Amino acid sequence: MKLLDIRDLKTFYGKSQALFGVDLSVEEGEAVALMGRNGMGKTTTIRSVCHLTPAQSGSINFAGKEIMRMKPHRIARLGVGLVPEGRRCFPNLTVEENILAAARPGKWTLDGVNALFPRLAERRDQYASTLSGGEQQMLAIGRALATNPRLLILDEATEGLAPVIRQDIWRAIRTIRAEGQSILIVDKTLSELLPVADRCVILEKGRTAWTGAPTALTDEIQQRFLGV
Ligand code: ATP
């Protein structure tokens, strides 16, 4: 069953058009890697799904409901859990309070998040503002998971972090995947991203240009769309 089904999405920033026709779907239990060079529309697509930058036309179906005109809090309530670029936690709440403030009943509990990120467990009583950037990113992921989303969206969750922390986050993402969590993920580290993805969707100038299995992503396609 399709959990997320985006068709012909068009989004503008003021008069400037960023998305010209994005098609993208995520099946229940699937991990989809959203790819493309800088500025091709990955973050805008994610922001459109969450109604943070509302789309102008097209359709966004989530779990059988049209959500394109819904407000962000309703979309979150339906089960879209976003870890935005540049992580956001409540600085004046402790680690544990941050997680509990987000928590909704389901398989991911405070204990589950603590097991996933032992570094967070060790810092449970610390204010979020005192965490390192990497730890704040872990907390952002932990918070999103604690909402027990049907779809977890990760936008550049490992960008700009120290290598050891990146390893911890990738390990967590692999565990989350192994639990069968549906995921839409943007990340530049292809060597880590491709092994966790069931399918890749590549954007080029605000349009879906290619979709296929990671194994079908040849050097030629990478050269053409990702410029590596
Ligand atoms: P990156 O990897 O650099 O984040 P991206 O694929 O996520 O790239 P977007 O951030 O979605 O790309 O950008 C898509 C287009 O929209 C770009 O042309 C960008 O300049 C433009 N854009 C993004 N944010 C804004 C904004 N707040 N106002 C105006 N234009 C924007």
Side-chain angles (χ1 to χ4, degrees):
M1 183 207 138
K2 280 202 170 63
L3 184 57
L4 177 68
D5 194 13
I6 302 177
R7 301 267 174 92
D8 200 24
L9 200 66
K10 295 180 178 143
T11 301
F12 292 71
Y13 291 100
K15 288 199 171 113
S16 152
Q17 189 166 3
L19 301 186
F20 291 82
V22 170
D23 294 295
L24 183 165
S25 66
V26 181
E27 305 272 331
E28 190 94 60
E30 196 182 29
V32 173
L34 179 58
M35 305 165 77
R37 282 186 289 257
N38 287 345
M40 291 304 175
K42 304 178 296 293
T43 296
T44 305
T45 298
I46 286 170
R47 291 184 57 86
S48 296
V49 169
C50 300
H51 206 86
L52 299 172
T53 302
Q56 187 177 84
S57 67
S59 71
I60 308 174
N61 194 285
F62 182 73
K65 286 199 175 67
E66 176 56 51
I67 62 167
M68 203 176 83
R69 315 236 172 259
M70 279 186 197
K71 296 289 180 228
H73 69 275
R74 279 194 68 202
I75 294 170
R77 194 148 297 191
L78 280 177
V80 177
L82 172 66
V83 180
E85 216 176 358
R87 58 193 162 259
R88 242 157 260 163
C89 307
F90 296 116
N92 300 325
L93 294 185
T94 65
V95 168
E96 191 164 294
E97 286 166 348
N98 260 282
I99 296 167
L100 291 175
R104 286 169 60 202
K107 136 184 196 170
W108 292 104
T109 58
L110 177 64
D111 287 347
V113 172
N114 281 335
L116 196 62
F117 294 115
R119 287 180 79 99
L120 288 185
E122 288 165 19
R123 292 161 177 77
R124 61 171 60 121
D125 297 322
Q126 242 172 270
Y127 287 111
S129 58
T130 67
L131 297 177
S132 72
E135 290 157 1
Q136 289 190 32
Q137 186 61 274
M138 290 176 182
L139 183 53
I141 297 171
R143 277 177 54 84
L145 271 183
T147 69
N148 282 288
R150 291 185 69 175
L151 176 67
L152 179 69
I153 304 183
L154 298 164
D155 192 2
E156 308 261 19
T158 66
E159 200 182 30
L161 303 179
V164 273
I165 300 278
R166 294 167 76 112
Q167 287 312 312
D168 284 348
I169 291 179
W170 281 113
R171 196 174 305 121
I173 292 171
R174 288 191 290 271
T175 303
I176 294 166
R177 271 305 292 146
E179 295 287 332
Q181 174 73 51
S182 310
I183 299 181
L184 179 63
I185 176 169
V186 174
D187 205 284
K188 294 204 171 69
T189 314
L190 298 194
S191 58
E192 297 280 10
L193 177 64
L194 295 180
V196 300
D198 297 307
R199 206 153 49 78
C200 305
V201 173
I202 300 181
L203 301 185
E204 170 95 333
K205 296 184 184 153
R207 282 191 180 83
T208 301
W210 187 86
T211 176
T215 49
L217 192 68
T218 59
D219 289 346
E220 192 193 331
I221 292 166
Q222 290 196 33
Q223 195 71 45
R224 180 159 153 215
F225 295 118
L226 307 175
V228 290

